Amino acid sequence: MNFSFKWFLFVLLFQCSLYEKPKNFFDIASSGGALLPLFAFTGFQTEFSISTHYDDSEYPLFVKTGVLDVEISEDLPFQFTATDVKVNQEYEDFLILRDLFYLEPKKIRMVFSASTRAAWKEDLSLKINVPSIYGNYHLTNPMLNFQFPKSKVVGEISEFKSRISTILLSDGRILLVGGISDSNSVLDTVEIFDPVSNSTTVIPPLDMPVVESKLVLLQDGNVLVSGGKFIAGNITNDSQISNHLYLINPVQNTTTRLPFGMVLRRVGHSVTRLPNGNILVVGGLVNGANDVSSVSQNFEIINLQSSSSASVGNMAHQRMYHESVLCESTGNVYIMGGLAVPDFTFAYRPPEVEIFDPKLSMIYDSGLSLINPRTESFVFTFNTSEFILAGGYNASNQSAKSIDLWSFNSNRANTLSFTERSKYGAAVSKFSNNQIIFTGGMELYYKSAVLEMYDHVEKKNYLVDTMVYPRSYHSAIQANDGIYIFGDSTFAGRYVEYYGKK
């Protein structure tokens, strides 16, 4: 869209309108996600242009927020500030300019957010006043498409269940394995949800019901399922823990129990696919003794090419319900958090971060400790050099509200922000390359539907919206067009909820 810009009037006018179904939920400015020319400036025989786009990796800084990046092809004789922008009075309660700042000398970011009026679909006019010291300006009839994510139920899975193991497949579909039914029985179900058709396909089940198994996506698009437990409650004997390995082919819709298993039975372990295709398996609860011996320091490597798994060594610390994250730049795996003994109430949570080096096939101490050790947390990498640790339970077995950063490069840790609400049983998902979103959880004695978002650009966390249903012990997966939420411990356990803009 091209518009004239003249050097003799006083205001910039934006006319904002909503549209229904963009092809890319990260891209508000155009349905195709391409760079969209929004303004053309002319004056005194000098022509230059301003283009606007929404960066897929940064949308949105908040949910219900429009980020307008303005790129200027040559220097202007002034700089805009947030005080130069005024929303028309009739809409000032519905649309707020959060910030205006320069990303680069010729690149401006304007951040607009909406109120909690989720059904708002009116056109808006934004008036931007240019400082009069630089002259008077006028922009005629520009249009900006503006839309907000929202929660809605888009389908159903095969049955009511919670604590489902889920993973995003390479083709954009979502695999769901096992879980616990509303009657508290463990399930063997395997199904694949398709976000395009909002439908689920049940494929052949596991040969035994299992919950809390770990899933890892392989290089060929298949999924390896490892371990878990066969009962819904606490482990009382070794036989209730699985060492089984399954290979799920989501293209051929097959589920195959592999002829070999892990060296140890494991639940609450971590799995990481290494750059060479092998699978690193670390720690976990390995027997039913319910004492210090129950939590393992051991790690093993699964080699699918040779159909084998071998114990490689031990960590310095026992861990279960911990996290492991691959640093893609080095190929090392960072291991953190978890419980050292099978007591969730006031059990010791090792603060030390350990590193697996695939070249040495060993795990060693990184020399760094977490600021807030926790268990059952979520870890996300940012910019290939940092990870964010969020959610889970702290050393007092309370909801860990801090959002902590650890840098691969500097080996430095610090707390960035805090969630507003407690997040027992919450699911945390990456929302974009710069945000993570917290969904639901337990707040004291009731389940929550609250959505919170941490923005790594602003280093802040915000309450942003609510889900359709309160949920706990559920899954949240980022797909190609938004966040899909599965499972719950009670009535919402069958409904698939979507958060996005389709």
Side-chain angles (χ1 to χ4, degrees), residues 14 129 243:
F14 287 79
N129 296 321
N243 72 331

Side-chain angles (χ1 to χ4, degrees), residues 5-7 12 14 39-44 46-51 69-81 84 100-102 104-110 128-131 133-139:
F5 182 89
K6 300 180 181 179
W7 292 68
L12 298 178
F14 287 79
F39 311 118
F41 281 55
T42 62
F44 299 119
T46 300
E47 294 189 2
F48 54 98
S49 63
I50 291 181
S51 297
D69 286 351
V70 179
E71 294 178 350
I72 307 168
S73 60
E74 64 179 58
D75 290 330
L76 293 177
F78 58 85
Q79 283 200 336
F80 291 106
T81 68
D84 300 319
L100 184 152
F101 53 92
Y102 279 74
E104 301 169 5
K106 297 180 182 179
K107 187 174 183 179
I108 302 170
R109 169 163 292 174
M110 288 179 281
I128 301 179
N129 296 321
V130 179
I133 187 174
Y134 298 118
N136 298 326
Y137 304 88
H138 180 67
L139 182 65

Side-chain angles (χ1 to χ4, degrees), residues 361-411:
S361 292
M362 64 176 292
I363 291 178
Y364 59 89
D365 192 346
S366 70
L368 178 83
S369 295
L370 298 177
I371 298 174
N372 299 290
R374 62 188 79 196
T375 187
E376 293 192 79
S377 58
F378 298 81
V379 62
F380 305 94
T381 56
F382 287 85
N383 304 319
T384 70
S385 63
E386 299 174 327
F387 69 70
I388 300 293
L389 196 66
Y393 300 83
N394 61 24
S396 300
N397 203 38
Q398 302 296 314
S399 175
K401 299 176 73 173
S402 69
I403 301 167
D404 297 338
L405 169 75
W406 194 81
S407 171
F408 295 121
N409 295 334
S410 64
N411 283 359

Side-chain angles (χ1 to χ4, degrees), residues 274 278-281 299-303 308-310 312 356 361:
L274 301 174
N278 290 339
I279 309 300
L280 174 68
V281 182
F299 65 96
E300 60 185 279
I301 293 180
I302 300 170
N303 187 325
S308 64
S309 188
V312 179
F356 170 77
S361 292

Side-chain angles (χ1 to χ4, degrees), residues 82-143:
T83 58
D84 300 319
V85 180
K86 178 178 175 57
V87 178
N88 285 2
Q89 184 175 2
E90 58 185 313
Y91 301 118
E92 62 185 5
D93 292 334
F94 304 134
L95 192 72
I96 303 165
L97 176 71
R98 289 287 187 181
D99 204 354
L100 184 152
F101 53 92
Y102 279 74
L103 299 172
E104 301 169 5
K106 297 180 182 179
K107 187 174 183 179
I108 302 170
R109 169 163 292 174
M110 288 179 281
V111 183
F112 298 101
S113 70
S115 71
T116 56
R117 187 179 171 189
W120 171 49
K121 291 186 178 181
E122 301 176 44
D123 291 347
L124 295 182
S125 296
L126 308 182
K127 182 179 294 185
I128 301 179
N129 296 321
V130 179
S132 58
I133 187 174
Y134 298 118
N136 298 326
Y137 304 88
H138 180 67
L139 182 65
T140 60
N141 300 323
M143 296 293 295

